Amino acid sequence: MPNSKPLRFRTEESLVNDFVLFLNRTRKSKFEVLREYEGGFGIPDLLLYSLPEKRKAKDIASLACINPRLAPLLSEATAKRIDTLAALSQTTGASLNSTRRIFLELSDIGRIKKGSNAMPGFQISPIAIPPFKQVVAIEAKLRDWRRALVQAYRYIQFANESWVLIDHGTSSSALRHKEQFQTYGVGLASFTTGGKLFVHVPAVNRPWSNSALAWRTQALLARDLVQT
């Protein structure tokens, strides 16, 4: 008898839904799953993030309350350069009035240390180590693996790992080009309608990226964690 063709997912949504069920059934509790994350440079279908340590509660609270676009101000490299409203304005590119509002927002979340009479000005209390140590982006596609690879490569700007998840029933073309995934450090996995996961190319796990998008992601994840 000829080999039967593997079953295929009808829609990308069904692929993602079944994969989320798989994650919920098999993953360790240290990861949470966020769907359709707006990363500022594309929208991964799934974003997995590690739960922070309890001692990071203050940092989580600060990041959850701050406007995500201002989160990079809490990095040590940026915070140490800002000690006046003029420096804050220059860093953010905001007008003086907007800079005052930014200063008040930082103050409201407890991230401003005011100077003394002898040393006027202020300091921003930075976050030394971002609370979400591991962030994994996943782009799911039924068959268009080339487009998925381009999108997944962009997610490296805010994720430690980036993956393409493809329907196992239509994965043959992607598997013939595994070297492209290896070149860009993007992982390739396929998933069956029966709930089996195949890892074909492991993703490169990159160290924390001190980029604006990475800090924005930390703030959005903090907000998601607090709201759940």
Side-chain angles (χ1 to χ4, degrees):
M1 294 181 61
N3 293 331
S4 59
K5 292 183 179 180
L7 297 176
R8 300 178 180 181
F9 289 96
R10 292 186 177 182
T11 64
E12 286 181 9
E13 183 180 8
S14 61
L15 168 61
V16 173
N17 288 342
D18 283 11
F19 185 65
V20 169
L21 291 175
F22 170 82
L23 290 176
N24 290 334
R25 188 174 68 250
T26 62
R27 66 187 167 88
K28 296 181 180 180
S29 60
K30 66 177 182 178
F31 280 100
E32 293 294 313
V33 178
L34 185 62
R35 301 185 63 162
E36 292 291 330
Y37 166 73
E38 172 53 72
F41 202 36
I43 304 176
D45 293 294
L46 296 171
L47 201 74
L48 280 60
Y49 62 92
S50 59
L51 290 173
E53 301 171 359
K54 291 184 178 180
R55 62 187 180 87
K56 289 290 184 179
K58 181 181 177 181
D59 293 340
I60 291 289
S62 295
L63 286 166
C65 293
I66 197 172
N67 185 320
R69 69 180 179 83
L70 299 178
L73 294 174
L74 300 180
S75 71
E76 286 188 311
T78 301
K80 69 180 183 181
R81 300 198 306 264
I82 301 172
D83 56 4
T84 64
L85 286 178
L88 181 58
S89 176
Q90 184 178 16
T91 300
T92 60
S95 66
L96 188 56
N97 285 337
S98 296
T99 300
R100 291 193 179 100
R101 288 194 292 270
I102 293 171
F103 176 86
L104 290 175
E105 184 171 345
L106 292 170
S107 182
D108 287 342
I109 63 173
R111 289 290 167 175
I112 292 293
K113 292 182 179 179
K114 294 183 178 179
S116 62
N117 291 333
M119 296 185 65
F122 63 87
Q123 289 182 324
I124 298 176
S125 299
I127 294 176
I129 302 175
F132 301 99
K133 295 181 179 179
Q134 287 295 313
V135 179
V136 179
I138 300 174
E139 181 67 25
K141 284 285 186 290
L142 293 184
R143 56 182 60 85
D144 191 356
W145 65 267
R146 288 183 175 84
R147 182 182 176 190
L149 176 57
V150 171
Q151 291 173 296
Y153 182 65
R154 293 174 178 173
Y155 306 154
I156 291 171
Q157 293 194 43
F158 55 82
N160 300 94
E161 291 184 12
S162 189
W163 289 80
V164 169
L165 178 70
I166 198 164
D167 183 351
H168 189 71
T170 59
S171 62
S172 58
S173 178
L175 295 181
R176 289 195 298 269
H177 297 85
K178 291 192 294 184
E179 72 283 352
Q180 294 193 30
F181 292 85
Q182 294 167 341
T183 297
Y184 293 104
V186 172
L188 173 63
S190 61
F191 192 65
T192 73
T193 55
K196 291 185 178 181
L197 178 67
F198 296 89
V199 175
H200 307 289
V201 179
V204 174
N205 188 282
R206 296 169 174 83
W208 159 255
S209 171
N210 192 28
S211 67
L213 286 177
W215 277 101
R216 181 181 183 276
T217 296
Q218 292 282 315
L220 290 170
L221 294 180
R223 186 171 297 183
D224 178 73
L225 183 63
V226 169
Q227 291 175 350
T228 55

